[in-house]
Amino acid sequence: MAEKVLKNRVCIIGSGNWGSAIAKIVGRNAARLPNFEDKVTMWVYEEMIEGKKLTEIINETHENVKYLPGHKLPPNVVAIPDVVDAAKDADLLIFVVPHQFVRTICSTLLGKIKPTAAALSLIKGFDIAEGGGIDLISHIITRCLKIPCAVLMGANIASEVADEKFCETTIGCRDVMLAPTMRDIIQTEYFRVVVVDDEDAVEICGALKNIVAVGAGFVDGLGFGDNTKAAVIRLGLMEMIKFVDVFYPGSKLSTFFESCGVADLITTCYGGRNRRVAEAFVKTGRSIKELEDEMLNGQKLQGPITAEEVNHMLANKNMENKFPLFTAVFKICRGELKPSDFINCIRSHPEHMTQPTPKCSL
Ligand SMILES: NC(=O)c1ccc[n+]([C@@H]2O[C@H](COP(=O)([O-])OP(=O)(O)OC[C@H]3O[C@@H](n4cnc5c(N)ncnc54)[C@H](O)[C@@H]3O)[C@@H](O)[C@H]2O)c1
């Protein structure tokens, strides 16, 4: 008698631009792999589009016409408006919502999911911790739902992934038993996965690079050139490394050379929505909120809120001056500094001030 294969059921929690692009991959992989149930549920935050429910449109046309128009989702991806209905039978929960909604979703799911389930978070951002400082989103998911949570971050602009243009991604997963399942449901010929065990650093890279992208947008808006943008990217990377070193010691420098690190930083500083809105902010003088509403058609901006969350941590520890780029982005977004002050804020960066002798190259 043939051995019965245990099939993992997958639920995607979220259906924005990235959620829909990843649903295309996950749906196809679930249908082709023997250890996954064909049907993939996708929780959709219900909204009306020209008088019709978005879930109905997705289930009838297999297209998320609002967040990923022009791309078909596999028919085995089923849109469900109730998050508990979508998640209750799942073995793998893929979280892909803007980070500000995670706590509410987790409290709705508490006690209603399989206790043996595992999570994979694609969410880039932090939350403010109750006692001060910041919380990683994967830690919130694990604490609230009492399940393990790996992370996926990388140079993955959703529209390009949906177009099936070759790219890489990083999965941070400490659990060696879970890692192959996470990789198998995600990897395709055009979306290549590297798994590392440095979960926290992977996630922190994904959140912090959005702050740097806002800085890159400022220099574009101010009319500086590629050299200036490269300096912003490099100084931003140094602040990312320092942040991890100070607040999450024990992480590995090699993680910054994975797709989640330097590659994501570069793509976001050239192609992402944070850069685009920050450039418009400088050029038009209008508020970030107004521009987000007008330019992004319901998509959410992560950089300015992440800058605020990080500043909460830095100000608490009296460390704002050690992270001048993160601090300047925060203050400019809040209107406490002008965009034209940005370069002056990073001109005397600690990176430029600490070298009486040449740096050792190792
Ligand atoms: N888009 C990308 O290129 C990309 C790439 C990698 C990672 N990410 C990350 O993925 C995460 C999700 O981003 P996205 O691009 O899929 O979303 P998005 O910004 O395109 O869309 C916003 C989503 O939030 C939902 N929403 C609105 N109000 C809500 C509410 N009150 N409660 C719950 N949901 C609500 C909307 O229905 C929509 O699905 C973010 O953390 C983002 O940083 C995005």
Side-chain angles (χ1 to χ4, degrees), residues 14-21 43-47 54 64 66-67 95-102 104-105 122-125 152-161 206 209-210 264 272-274 296-302:
S15 54
N17 192 224
W18 187 216
S20 303
W43 174 60
V44 174
Y45 178 77
E46 192 68 283
E47 44 192 307
L54 182 56
N64 187 339
K66 173 145 186 195
Y67 293 102
F95 282 85
V96 54
V97 289
H99 71 278
Q100 54 269 43
F101 306 128
V102 166
T104 316
I105 292 170
L122 277 54
I123 299 171
K124 292 179 173 172
L152 177 150
M153 310 279 146
N156 306 142
I157 289 179
S159 55
E160 294 180 23
V161 176
K209 58 96 198 194
N210 281 332
D264 195 9
R273 60 179 92 153
N274 288 283
L296 298 184
N297 188 32
Q299 292 181 11
K300 302 285 177 213
L301 209 57
Q302 303 297 321

Side-chain angles (χ1 to χ4, degrees), residues 8 121 142 196 201 218 223 297 309 333 338 359:
N8 289 296
S121 171
T142 291
V196 299
F218 291 161
N297 188 32
E309 288 147 1
C333 290
K338 295 191 296 298
K359 269 188 183 176

Side-chain angles (χ1 to χ4, degrees), residues 25 28-29 32 161 164-169 183-193:
I25 289 178
R28 250 191 233 163
N29 278 344
R32 92 184 159 76
V161 176
E164 304 187 10
K165 293 177 176 159
F166 177 85
C167 67
E168 295 181 295
T169 200
R183 185 204 50 220
D184 290 353
I185 196 66
I186 295 293
Q187 180 144 271
T188 70
E189 286 298 309
Y190 63 88
F191 195 60
R192 307 306 290 167
V193 175

